[in-house]
Each structure stands twice: as C-alpha cells, then as structure tokens.
C-alpha cells in the first residue's frame, strides 16, 4: 500500500508542524512502538535521542498493556511492543504476535505515596489496614495491582482500600489531589509527580519488581530498525534517562 | 377496513420516499446492529453461565440495579418539579436556566465526575462540612447514585417538560373553573395526562444510569460491591479476561433491550 503510506506520511508531516522530522526525504525510516502508559514521558525523551543518533523516526502509541495487546490482536500495525509486566508479554507470545524472545530492559518498584504534608500521618504499609485512612490501590487485575497484592502479602498486611483503580495513574491522581491519604504507585510515578506527593520508604520494596519486557513484533515492517531500538534501550544514554525517571535498569539487578 | 389501511401508511404518503434513501438508511441501521450482533457471535456460550455467575459479576449487576433504581427515584423526585418550573416559568433567564440544567447531556461524563468531586470530594466545597457531619460521600455507594443522577436528570426533565408544554389548556381551565387548587390541578389533571411521557422519561433515566461509567469512575472510584457497577466491572475484566468482558457486555445489552422494549411498547399510545 505505498500510496496509502505516502498519504499517511504526508498527513503526519502536515500535522507535526515541524521541519526537522519531515524534510524532503519522504523515504525516511520510521518505526512504530506500542508502549505501556507508565513509560510515556521517558520514552518520548529516549525516542528523540534515538532519532538523533540513527535518523530513524519513532512513532509511539501509549496505552495500558492490556489495551495494547487487544489492539495488536485486532491487527494494528506496529514494529515493537513494550509492556509494563511479563504476564501481558507472555500472552502476546501465546498469540504468536512476537518475532523473538522478549528482553527485559527496565524494572520498577512500588512506592507508598501520600499527598504533600502526609495529612493522615502514614508511616508504612501497615497503615493501609487502618479504617480511618482512605487508601487507594490498583485493582489486582492490572499489573500494579498484582504487584501491590504481592508486596502487602509478603509484609503480612491486609489493606482495606476505598477504591481499586484500573491504572496506576488513577491511583496517583487521587493521592495527588488529596482525595486519598495513601496509595501504592510505581517509584517512577512518584518521581514524575514532584512536589505534590511524598514517599514513605517501604522495606523490601526491591524484592518485588515489576519488569518491563520489549520485543519485535511478527508484523514488523522494519524488523532490523525495531531490534535496533530495543538494543538502544540498554545503551548508557538510554539507561541514564530511565534512571532519572525513577526506573531500575540492568546494573541495579533484577 | 379503511381505517386500518390508513394506519399502515407513513406520514409521507401519498408521495412516499425516494428509493435511493434506502441505502443510507440501511447503512445507518447496520452501523448500530452489526457491532451488537457480532458480540453475540463472539461470546463463548459454553462458558457463559460461569462467567455471568462469578461473584464479582453478580455483585456488579446487583449494585448496578440498586444504584440505577435509586438514581431514577431521585430523578423523579427532583426532575418532575424542575420540569414543571421550567415549563411554567416566564421570568427572564429561564431559557438560560433550561440550558444549564441540560448541560450534563452534552458534557463528557468524566467531566461530570470531576465536577462532582469539586463539590462532594474530600477536598471539595462541601468536603469539610460533610467530614464534620461524619459523612464521607466519595468512594461510597451514595457517590455512585449521585453520579448517575447527575447524568440522567436531563433526560427526565426534557421529556416531562415537553409533555407539560403540550398539555391541553382547556382541560386545565375546566379544572380551575371547578375550583381545583394549584396542587390539585397538578396532581389530578396534569400528571395523569402526561403519564406516558413520564414513564418514557423514567425508562430513559434508568437506562442512562445503568450505563453510566465516566462520572462514576472519576467521582466514586471502583470497589467490588460498593462502587464497582457493571460498566466498571466490564472495563476491568478487559484487563485479564476479554471473554468475561464480552459476556458481561451482553448482559448490559440485554438489559438495555429490555428497557427499549418497555419504552417502545408505550410509544404511539394516546
């Protein structure tokens, strides 16, 4: 469908309003990366860096891991899939969507977040059992919720959440606006929220990791460039950005 | 015989419709029917009973029915008087008031949820006062009912107000001549006359409440048995079990069809 592709590219260029990525060279390589929502900010930066170094443009589509998988199952065109947990990636493997074995390139720990000023005086996980504390967690059906359950069970804590949200961003939003006294989110989310939230140290948090695997898709139109992008994620310049954003990388061990 | 024949003709006879109109009309119908029909084809019928009787599904369905019924009752209680005022009022700015009351019809539901949070949330306008009273609305079933009432109220108000405006004035005047007071006129004359519209409005409000998602998730949160209604349960099930999500969707479709059937059977009656 070269005509369609050309049209799509022209539309992208028209919409992008930038002169850098859409020069006269219409045959420019571009890869499409389907990535988990929690990687949004850091991947935008990594993508720019990658384009600078290789000349290959990157187009991201960010959504919850389950949504990404559903879109790919329906035949959405993409070159790379990056999920926020290994379970979703194994489902992609079962559906024969992957061209290769997935590689883990980053990990995340959970953090106990409170609104600025910690109004409920949260000191640790055991406060999630208090009836007077409004705590919000991810639902066990989503990756951050499964991990929260694992972490609290290991600590012997039985939380009584006021709400079990569909995504970690929803949890963070409720903590940030002080609609909740405490919530379990990813360390990288706390980093992104800045002054609005405080973090309470959790013992043994690094024993319960959430790993981010990436893989080239069977449907990839440019598999070499796709593999190159995944390799780039392990390069020092990319791991540095991941670190800054609060993620763990290979050198931290997982 | 002749009367029956006349009843089978549409309003556009004798000239009738141009033939070409059938194509876009058919496409329009397909656009609505095909996705729903496709769901019936996709669901695994053998697993259906176990998918629909899981504890979380039953909890969600019961909560949905309870909250939608409460929201509909609230809509009746508040919506009928509001419709009467809007239909009767001649003061300046009534048009503006009508527009504002209908705002939830055009607002994205999630915006409604955020708006409700700014009033009833813990940090909202009334949050402090409610806390003093020992009331916590956010994260409670009351929040779900409030969210549903917020989005459904305009449906009832529009339906009832339109009916009140179309009332036969002679009937009302006759009642007044007979010495009926204001309340009596409303209760004994106006309400019975607009009953069909009132029932349609109630059905619409109930259906809208049953399908409410955005305002609920933003304002009430999501907890099994407390705030996780059927649409929220469907959204969450997609994460782990797409088949269960389709099965639960069918349940909602059936509920909606039931409601449409009830509403449809009332249409066309005098």
């Amino acid at each position: 469908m070269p005509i369609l592709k050309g049209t799509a590219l022209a539309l992208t260029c028209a919409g992008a309003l930038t002169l850098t990525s859409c020069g006269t060279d219409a045959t420019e390589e571009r890869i499409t990366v389907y990535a988990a929502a929690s990687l949004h900010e850091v991947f935008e930066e990594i993508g720019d860096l990658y384009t600078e170094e290789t000349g290959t443009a990157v187009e991201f589509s960010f959504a919850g891991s389950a949504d990404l998988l559903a879109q790919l199952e329906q035949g959405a065109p993409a070159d790379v899939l990056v999920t926020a947990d290994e379970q979703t990636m194994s489902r992609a493997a079962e559906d024969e969507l992957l061209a290769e074995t997935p590689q883990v390139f980053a990990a995340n720990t959970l953090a106990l977040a409170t609104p600025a000023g910690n109004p409920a005086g949260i000191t640790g996980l055991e406060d999630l059992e208090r009836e007077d504390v409004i705590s919000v967690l991810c639902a066990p059906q989503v990756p951050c919720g499964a991990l929260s359950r694992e972490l609290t069970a290991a600590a012997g804590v039985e939380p009584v959440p006021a709400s079990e949200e569909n995504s970690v961003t929803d949890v963070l939003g409720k903590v940030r606006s002080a609609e909740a006294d405490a919530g379990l989110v990813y360390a990288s989310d706390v980093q992104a929220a800045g002054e609005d939230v405080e973090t309470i140290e959790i013992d043994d948090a690094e024993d319960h990791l959430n790993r981010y695997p990436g893989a080239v898709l069977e449907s990839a139109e440019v598999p070499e460039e796709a593999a190159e992008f995944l390799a780039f994620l392990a390069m020092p310049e990319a791991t540095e950005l991941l670190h800054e954003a609060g993620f763990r990388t290979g050198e931290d061990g997982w | 015989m002749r009367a029956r024949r006349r009843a089978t003709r549409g309003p556009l006879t004798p000239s009738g419709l141009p033939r070409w109109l059938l194509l876009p009309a058919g496409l329009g119908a397909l656009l609505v029917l095909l996705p729903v029909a496709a769901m019936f084809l996709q669901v695994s019928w053998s697993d259906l009973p176990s998918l629909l009787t899981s504890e979380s599904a039953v909890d969600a369905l019961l909560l949905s029915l309870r909250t939608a019924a409460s929201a509909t009752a609230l809509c009746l209680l508040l919506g009928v008087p509001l419709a009467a005022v809007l239909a009767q009022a001649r003061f300046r700015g009534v048009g503006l008031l009508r527009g504002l009351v209908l705002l939830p019809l055009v607002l994205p539901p999630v915006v409604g949820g955020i708006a409700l949070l700014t009033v009833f949330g813990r940090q909202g306008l009334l949050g402090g006062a409610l806390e003093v009273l020992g009331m916590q609305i956010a994260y409670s079933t009351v929040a779900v009912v409030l969210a549903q009432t917020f989005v459904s109220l305009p449906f009832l108000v529009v339906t009832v107000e339109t009916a009140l405006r179309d009332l036969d004035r002679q009937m009302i005047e006759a009642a007044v001549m007979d010495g009926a007071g204001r309340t009596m006129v409303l209760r004994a004359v106006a309400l019975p006359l607009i009953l069909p519209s009132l029932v349609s409005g109630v059905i619409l409000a109930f259906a809208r409440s049953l399908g409410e998602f955005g305002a609920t998730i933003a304002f009430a949160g999501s907890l099994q048995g407390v705030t996780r209604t059927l649409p929220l349960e469907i959204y969450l099930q997609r994460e782990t079990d797409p088949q269960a999500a389709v099965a639960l969707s069918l349940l909602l479709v059936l509920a909606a069809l039931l409601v449409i059937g009830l509403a449809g059977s009332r249409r066309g009656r005098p």
Side-chain angles (χ1 to χ4, degrees), chain A residues 66-67 91 134 136 139 141-142 161-166 174 177-181, chain B residues 117 121-124 136 138-139 217-218 221-223 228 235-236 238-240 242:
Chain A
D67 285 334
R91 273 169 59 197
I134 301 282
V136 176
Q141 286 89 337
V142 293
S163 177
E164 292 180 330
E165 302 287 329
N166 284 316
K174 288 204 157 63
S177 60
E179 285 297 330
D181 299 321
Chain B
L117 258 186
R122 296 174 78 209
Q123 307 300 320
Q136 157 92 31
Y139 307 116
I217 206 159
S222 172
L223 191 68
R228 188 172 296 151
Y235 190 65
L236 186 60
R238 282 170 46 258
E239 297 284 346
T240 44

Side-chain angles (χ1 to χ4, degrees), chain B:
Chain B
M1 280 310 278
R2 185 182 286 179
R4 175 172 292 185
R5 191 147 168 199
R6 191 175 304 156
T8 60
R9 286 182 172 180
L12 293 168
T13 49
S15 56
L17 291 170
R19 288 262 165 96
W20 57 263
L21 211 67
L22 289 174
L23 182 66
L27 284 176
L30 253 167
L31 181 64
V32 175
L33 297 177
L34 197 59
V36 178
M39 262 202 324
F40 279 85
L41 296 175
Q42 210 199 3
V43 75
S44 78
W45 295 99
S46 53
D47 299 338
L48 201 60
S50 64
L51 290 175
L52 294 183
T53 51
S54 71
E55 191 200 341
S56 61
V58 171
D59 274 359
L61 178 65
L62 292 177
L63 179 70
S64 267
L65 292 173
R66 266 206 340 261
T67 51
S70 312
T72 309
L74 254 182
C75 283
L76 260 178
L77 213 61
L78 307 173
V80 174
L82 187 55
V85 168
L86 288 176
Q88 179 75 15
R90 293 284 175 273
F91 58 85
R92 280 177 79 119
V94 71
L96 182 68
L97 179 65
R98 182 179 299 118
L100 289 176
V101 167
L102 302 188
L103 201 55
L105 281 181
V106 291
L107 273 184
V110 69
V111 175
I114 291 169
L116 286 165
L117 258 186
T118 57
V119 178
F120 300 104
R122 296 174 78 209
Q123 307 300 320
L125 283 178
L126 303 177
L130 290 167
E131 207 135 327
V132 170
L133 296 172
M135 280 168 66
Q136 157 92 31
I137 290 190
Y139 307 116
S140 70
T141 306
V142 174
V144 178
V145 175
L146 271 179
Q148 291 176 349
T149 308
F150 181 86
V151 297
S152 311
L153 192 61
F155 286 89
L156 190 103
V157 171
V158 170
T159 321
V160 173
E161 194 208 351
T162 311
L164 285 172
R165 285 171 169 273
D166 294 344
L167 270 184
D168 187 346
R169 290 188 174 273
Q170 284 176 332
M171 302 274 282
I172 305 281
E173 276 157 19
V176 176
M177 298 276 278
D178 288 345
R182 291 180 182 190
T183 305
M184 193 61 169
V185 167
L186 257 186
R187 203 174 53 91
V189 185
L191 276 185
L193 283 174
I194 64 157
L195 199 60
S197 301
L198 189 63
V199 172
S200 298
V202 163
I203 289 171
L204 276 175
F206 183 78
R208 180 65 189 86
S209 295
L210 206 57
E212 213 314 293
F213 172 80
T216 311
I217 206 159
F219 174 48
S222 172
L223 191 68
Q224 187 179 332
V226 182
T227 51
R228 188 172 296 151
T229 55
L230 204 45
L232 272 66
E233 175 72 16
I234 290 171
Y235 190 65
L236 186 60
Q237 283 294 352
R238 282 170 46 258
E239 297 284 346
T240 44
D241 191 352
Q243 268 299 337
V246 174
L248 290 174
S249 302
L250 277 189
L251 197 60
L252 257 189
V253 168
L254 288 177
L257 285 175
L258 204 66
V259 168
I260 292 172
L262 279 174
S265 69
R266 301 209 53 90
R267 278 181 53 186
R269 292 194 190 181

Side-chain angles (χ1 to χ4, degrees), chain A residues 153-170:
Chain A
V157 171
E158 286 184 27
V160 279
S163 177
E164 292 180 330
E165 302 287 329
N166 284 316
S167 79
V168 74
T169 38
D170 293 340

